[in-house]
């Protein structure tokens, strides 16, 4: 049973856009922010799952493809016209592939993953950065969803792991470039949160030694609470990198 501590918005931070909000980490995080009293914008390709996330909360449904800059700009524009500003972005949308050696992966599948995980994250961050830089008072916070794979790869994960290393580069650079505009940027690296995408871990997934093994998982609510904590800090403080993971998962010493 999860005992949740509700963290209320602070330092006049009150609005957030969450990409990939129709399921998994994005949905859980959006619902945590809604419960904490934030104005929440829900970004995803399909409208129906976003409406399921929103429920009766009044959260903004901003259906768009994060790889399409015109759609992203229009969605963010709707948020600004509704709230007057955007205080935070949880840059969360992403996809994965079934584990396999790189030569067994179709190039089109690799290209699609990189388009969503890298270009989608860049486009979403670019739009938020532009708004935060121009709004008055200036500033905001961008939180990128990395992965423990940004540090240590899982077997057969070359495209996904490479995409998450790119996110770390984006985080570091936005942290540097954002200083002049009061824009903070941090990254949350998640390990084995139990979402639909992680159910396979409860049944057995390939290990580096060639074996199959069940891996420990954690409730996705812990991720949502962690993102809420990061976003609720005053802009004078920043969680640069946070790793939140199932304690006994094979990460430290993976392989």
């Amino acid at each position: 049973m999860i005992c949740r501590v509700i963290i209320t918005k602070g330092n006049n931070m009150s609005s957030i856009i969450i990409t990939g909000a129709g399921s998994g980490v994005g949905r859980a995080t959006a619902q945590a922010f809604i419960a904490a009293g934030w104005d929440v914008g829900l970004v995803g390709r399909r409208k129906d799952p976003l409406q399921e996330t929103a429920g009766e909360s009044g959260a903004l449904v901003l259906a768009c493809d994060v790889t399409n800059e015109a759609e992203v700009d229009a969605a963010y524009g709707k948020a600004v016209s509704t709230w007057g500003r955007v205080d935070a972005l949880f840059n969360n949308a992403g996809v994965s592939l079934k584990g396999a050696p790189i030569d067994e992966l179709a190039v089109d599948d690799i290209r699609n993953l990189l388009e969503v995980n890298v270009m989608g994250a860049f486009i979403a961050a670019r739009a938020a950065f532009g708004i935060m830089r121009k709004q008055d008072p200036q500033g905001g916070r961008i939180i990128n969803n990395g992965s423990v794979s940004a540090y240590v790869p899982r077997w057969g994960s070359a495209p996904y792991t490479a995409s998450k290393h790119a996110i770390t580069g984006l985080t570091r650079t936005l942290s540097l470039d954002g200083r002049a505009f009061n824009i903070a940027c941090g990254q949350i690296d998640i390990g084995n949160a139990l979402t639909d995408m992680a159910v396979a871990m409860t049944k057995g997934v390939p290990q580096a030694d060639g074996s199959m093994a069940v891996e420990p998982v954690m409730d996705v609510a812990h991720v949502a609470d962690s993102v809420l904590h990061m976003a609720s800090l005053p802009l004078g403080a920043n969680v640069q990198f946070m790793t939140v993971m199932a304690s006994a998962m094979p990460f430290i010493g993976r392989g």
Side-chain angles (χ1 to χ4, degrees), residues 45 66-67 91-97 109-123 144-147 157 159-168 170 197:
R45 289 182 177 179
V66 293
T67 68
N91 205 3
N92 166 71
V95 297
S96 62
L97 294 175
D109 290 340
I110 296 172
R111 186 174 285 118
N112 177 69
L113 181 147
L114 294 175
E115 183 72 12
V116 175
N117 290 12
V118 180
M119 283 305 303
F122 271 71
I123 289 168
N144 293 324
N145 185 346
S147 168
S157 68
Y160 184 80
T161 296
S163 76
K164 293 306 181 178
H165 277 66
I167 295 302
T168 299
L170 176 63
M197 198 162 65

Side-chain angles (χ1 to χ4, degrees), residues 5-56:
V5 177
I6 298 297
I7 305 171
T8 57
K9 55 195 177 185
N11 194 40
N12 297 319
M13 300 285 280
S14 63
S15 59
I16 186 168
I17 290 174
I18 297 174
T19 68
S23 63
V25 166
R27 172 172 286 180
T29 303
Q31 291 173 341
F33 275 85
I34 290 167
W38 288 61
D39 295 321
V40 180
L42 308 171
V43 169
R45 289 182 177 179
R46 296 179 297 133
K47 187 175 182 179
D48 287 349
L50 298 177
Q51 290 177 324
E52 291 175 11
T53 299
E56 302 299 321

Side-chain angles (χ1 to χ4, degrees), residues 36-105:
W38 288 61
D39 295 321
V40 180
L42 308 171
V43 169
R45 289 182 177 179
R46 296 179 297 133
K47 187 175 182 179
D48 287 349
L50 298 177
Q51 290 177 324
E52 291 175 11
T53 299
E56 302 299 321
S57 68
L60 282 182
V61 172
L62 305 171
C64 70
D65 181 348
V66 293
T67 68
N68 184 314
E69 60 269 34
E71 291 186 11
V72 169
D73 288 344
Y76 284 33
K78 181 179 178 181
V80 172
S81 67
T82 303
W83 304 328
R85 60 185 290 110
V86 173
D87 294 306
L89 165 69
F90 181 35
N91 205 3
N92 166 71
V95 297
S96 62
L97 294 175
K98 185 177 180 180
I102 192 170
D103 62 309
E104 297 179 12
L105 298 173

Side-chain angles (χ1 to χ4, degrees), residues 10 37 44 65 104 111 115-116 123 136 148 155 158 163 166 185 190 195 208 218 224 231 235 240:
D65 181 348
E104 297 179 12
R111 186 174 285 118
E115 183 72 12
V116 175
I123 289 168
D136 184 21
V148 294
W155 174 86
S163 76
C185 183
I190 304 163
T195 63
M218 65 176 175
L235 285 177
Q240 187 67 68

